[in-house]
Amino acid sequence: MGEPDYSVILPAFNEEGFLPLSLPRLFAAMDQVDLCGEVIVVDNNSTDLTAQIASELGATVVFEKINQISRARNKGAEVARGRYFVFLDSDTLVSPELLQKSLELLSHKKAIGGGSLLTCEGVKIGDKPNKGVRLWNWVSVTLNLAAGSFIFVSREAYQQSGGFSTLLFAGEEINFSKKIKRIGRKQGLKFVIIKDHPIETSMRKLDWYSNWQIARMWAIIFIFPFVLYSSKLLPFWYHRPDDPIQPEKRQD
């Protein structure tokens, strides 16, 4: 079948519950776009059936032993064959319209990369979902930053940027957006946040953590940004209430 035009890269840690929903939706969306793509799931040292399920559903599976989102994304990019990269969270559902528009922006040289607005799983963006989601959408558009749940970029720009920072255990998508924007300015290409086809992402973390816990976490990050350099200080990203992994098994 030849080389794919684009690669969709999903970091996945213990996602046996969500992949049976997100991967079929992804493949269905890919069937409706003009270009040919591949799906790469990066098993980020899972202890469940993540790798087996991803493989059975048709994805290429690679392994990254260090539990870190940026490392998982970079590992997927190492084996990706496409000219364009789409980084997608495992608990996120992408529409064919968003995927098509992202690839058109890249292939027609109208953008060097970008992201999209967010909406909650099962909620339309016009319905005003979660206040936190609305706040992020405002930040994303105002500051032109992509959410980690959906980022598209050309292979060339990704390689020029050096990929996602492995120093950061959270906020790596913000750092990455800034690097890609700088590269784009030199080439006269924009970093685009797509507004008319929002990505649909799971709000499961709102079930795991109270509003007070989430607000406290963001306050700590704002006051003490050094916490972004340690997974142990970032439970919102690296801990689940039913997480079977012991802290010593998670490597920074």
Side-chain angles (χ1 to χ4, degrees):
M1 295 180 62
E3 294 295 298
D5 298 300
Y6 67 97
S7 304
V8 184
I9 300 164
L10 295 83
F13 171 73
N14 284 356
E15 292 290 0
E16 67 178 9
F18 217 98
L19 286 178
L21 172 63
S22 60
L23 278 182
R25 283 281 295 270
L26 171 59
F27 281 116
M30 293 170 68
D31 286 341
Q32 297 182 56
V33 304
D34 297 334
L35 301 178
C36 176
E38 65 174 350
V39 176
I40 300 168
V41 171
V42 184
D43 173 18
N44 202 190
N45 207 19
S46 299
T47 59
D48 65 2
L49 299 178
T50 288
Q52 178 181 330
I53 290 172
S55 180
E56 290 175 350
L57 289 173
T60 298
V61 178
V62 295
F63 180 73
E64 169 53 56
K65 68 177 182 179
I66 298 179
N67 191 225
Q68 184 182 21
I69 301 167
S70 55
R71 287 182 187 271
R73 288 182 172 139
N74 291 340
K75 176 67 73 171
E78 287 178 10
V79 301
R81 298 175 294 155
R83 291 177 289 153
Y84 315 118
F85 292 166
V86 176
F87 294 94
L88 185 70
D89 278 356
S90 297
D91 64 343
T92 297
L93 307 177
V94 63
S95 68
E97 294 83 6
L98 176 59
L99 187 58
Q100 177 71 34
K101 187 164 186 176
S102 302
L103 295 171
E104 285 180 353
L105 288 170
L106 293 173
S107 61
H108 295 166
K109 302 280 186 190
K110 293 183 178 179
I112 195 166
S116 78
L117 295 186
L118 303 181
T119 189
C120 303
E121 180 188 352
V123 178
K124 295 180 180 179
I125 194 160
D127 292 340
K128 294 184 179 180
N130 176 270
K131 289 182 180 180
V133 172
R134 281 185 280 159
L135 175 60
W136 166 256
N137 284 341
W138 179 84
V139 171
S140 179
V141 171
T142 303
L143 301 181
N144 204 27
L145 300 170
S149 53
F150 181 80
I151 304 170
F152 62 95
V153 66
S154 69
R155 168 191 283 274
E156 181 182 8
Y158 171 87
Q159 292 175 336
Q160 290 176 6
S161 73
F164 293 89
S165 173
T166 55
L167 297 177
L168 296 169
F169 282 80
E172 77 289 336
E173 71 274 29
I174 304 301
N175 175 270
F176 184 75
S177 295
K178 292 178 178 178
K179 291 193 294 183
I180 297 301
K181 285 196 294 183
R182 285 195 295 269
I183 293 170
R185 282 194 292 269
K186 295 178 181 178
Q187 301 178 15
L189 294 173
K190 296 180 179 180
F191 189 85
V192 177
I193 303 299
I194 298 174
K195 305 179 183 66
D196 49 352
H197 303 295
I199 198 76
E200 188 177 347
T201 191
S202 166
M203 292 291 105
R204 59 187 177 180
K205 288 182 179 178
L206 300 181
D207 295 327
W208 296 343
Y209 300 99
S210 68
N211 290 335
W212 162 246
Q213 288 174 310
I214 294 171
R216 183 178 61 182
M217 175 205 66
W218 284 113
I220 291 172
I221 290 175
F222 180 77
I223 298 171
F224 306 108
F226 63 83
V227 302
L228 295 173
Y229 297 91
S230 173
S231 64
K232 296 180 178 65
L233 301 176
L234 296 168
F236 191 72
W237 286 269
Y238 292 93
H239 175 73
R240 302 175 185 180
D242 57 350
D243 193 345
I245 299 292
Q246 298 300 316
E248 62 268 16
K249 293 185 180 180
R250 287 208 166 160
Q251 305 177 48
D252 286 2

